[in-house]
């Protein structure tokens, strides 16, 4: 069973409409936030002060846009161990 909280009026509580709203939300989550986190480890960022957090998020968004405009798909960020191996080769 799945529960949800909504501010929709009772006359808008059709199961089909709620399903569409939930799917639209997860499309945004999966299409933007999840991709940004996987591609640039956004959730692991230690930038938390002043405007730096927003600036870094915008830079990450811009880099993903450039990657997509170039016809590529963003790939997951490599773990540090992989970066060290590449740099030492």
């Amino acid at each position: 069973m799945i529960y949800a909280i909504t501010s929709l009026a009772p006359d808008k509580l059709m199961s089909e409409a709620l399903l569409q709203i939930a799917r639209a939300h997860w499309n945004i989550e999966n299409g933007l936030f999840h991709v940004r986190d996987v591609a640039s480890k956004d959730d692991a960022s230690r930038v938390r002060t002043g405007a730096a957090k927003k600036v870094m998020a915008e830079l990450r968004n811009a880099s993903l846009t450039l990657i997509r405009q170039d016809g590529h798909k963003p790939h997951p960020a490599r773990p540090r161990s992989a970066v060290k191996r590449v740099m030492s080769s």
Side-chain angles (χ1 to χ4, degrees):
M1 186 169 291
I2 297 173
Y3 296 93
I5 297 173
T6 180
S7 60
L8 291 173
D11 61 329
K12 304 276 187 196
L13 294 176
M14 305 285 290
S15 59
E16 297 84 14
L18 289 174
L19 180 61
Q20 287 177 350
I21 291 168
R23 284 184 175 162
H25 166 78
W26 284 108
N27 281 337
I28 293 168
E29 176 68 27
N30 293 332
L32 175 62
F33 302 121
H34 177 73
V35 171
R36 192 170 71 191
D37 183 42
V38 171
S40 64
K41 296 200 178 264
D42 191 41
D43 288 346
S45 174
R46 298 180 63 99
V47 177
R48 292 179 175 38
T49 59
K53 184 176 181 178
K54 183 170 181 151
V55 169
M56 288 303 298
E58 293 298 330
L59 287 172
R60 290 182 187 107
N61 286 340
S63 66
L64 287 173
T65 298
L66 291 172
I67 289 168
R68 288 181 177 130
Q69 284 179 347
D70 199 33
H72 295 84
K73 260 182 117 170
H75 294 288
R78 292 185 285 179
R80 289 192 183 276
S81 59
V83 172
K84 288 178 186 175
R85 283 195 303 269
V86 170
M87 293 178 79
S88 63
S89 298

